[in-house]
Amino acid sequence: GAGVSQSPSNKVTEKGKDVELRCDPISGHTALYWYRQRLGQGLEFLIYFQGNSAPDKSGLPSDRFSAERTGESVSTLTIQRTQQEDSAVYLCASTPRGGVTGELFFGEGSRLTVL
Amino acid sequence: QKEVEQDPGPLSVPEGAIVSLNCTYSNSAFQYFMWYRQYSRKGPELLMYTYSSGNKEDGRFTAQVDKSSKYISLFIRDSQPSDSATYLCAMSRGSARQLTFGSGTQLTVLP
């Protein structure tokens, strides 16, 4: 079946604009995660959804960042008033119920550049 | 200080060499240890998974965890050009769903 799908794959925006990044998880996967990967750095946890609720939002760096998910389907990560430090690859991952601990299925990411 | 430290490399080896990749960590609560492989412009994919201390072997890959030293390793035997990628260690606490990743080591295997 299809893997995790993310769009857009690349986004260039001007400082101060809002952006929306979309993630379509693997069908049937109940959990969904957003991570951020800055150049030369590891993955930074942002938020985790179980179904459409977000029990852990601890990684969202500021109130400019928000995310929502519709049921066990698509999720949107919104960054308001983008700053240059928001430039990164935003990775989405999903896992099935009862899956192997630590096995996240990642999409190819949305590469965000803030000018 | 980061919870997980990983030498970023880059590491360049000839084909057929044995590769050793390592991470250290500071949080003794970590119980699950993973190695992910990330090809350029792709998402990471799980390569190896280990629970607590010990060794795990899968083909040319061996993962080692030493909880007493807070040190984990990934060994690649008979390395191939197709192994060229960034290798990320990751770990989690108990049933915690989010993973803490190292910064990744970029590996190039030269033919």
Side-chain angles (χ1 to χ4, degrees), chain A residues 31-57:
Chain A
L32 185 148
Y33 308 77
W34 284 98
Y35 281 83
R36 178 169 71 178
Q37 187 173 31
R38 288 182 166 137
L39 187 65
Q41 298 187 25
L43 278 67
E44 177 188 3
F45 170 78
L46 297 178
I47 188 169
Y48 149 62
F49 287 93
Q50 183 62 47
N52 64 0
S53 68
D56 191 345
K57 305 179 183 179

Side-chain angles (χ1 to χ4, degrees), chain B residues 13-33:
Chain B
V13 301
E15 183 174 355
I18 297 174
V19 177
S20 173
L21 305 168
N22 311 292
C23 288
T24 59
Y25 62 94
S26 57
N27 190 338
S28 57
F30 288 136
Q31 296 183 30
Y32 296 89
F33 304 91

Side-chain angles (χ1 to χ4, degrees), chain A residues 101-102, chain B residues 29-34 90-100:
Chain A
T101 299
Chain B
F30 288 136
Q31 296 183 30
Y32 296 89
F33 304 91
M34 283 71 67
M91 36 201 89
S92 69
R93 301 183 297 278
S95 61
R97 302 290 284 183
Q98 68 270 29
L99 306 183
T100 302

Side-chain angles (χ1 to χ4, degrees), chain A residues 31 33 35 37 42 45 48 56 95 101-104 106-108 111, chain B residues 32 34 36 38 41-44 46 49 88 97-99 101-103:
Chain A
Y33 308 77
Y35 281 83
Q37 187 173 31
F45 170 78
Y48 149 62
D56 191 345
T95 59
T101 299
E103 184 171 25
L104 276 61
F106 283 92
E108 295 193 349
R111 185 174 300 270
Chain B
Y32 296 89
M34 283 71 67
Y36 276 78
Q38 185 175 24
R41 303 256 169 181
K42 300 290 186 181
L46 182 67
Y49 152 76
L88 298 143
R97 302 290 284 183
Q98 68 270 29
L99 306 183
F101 283 84
S103 57

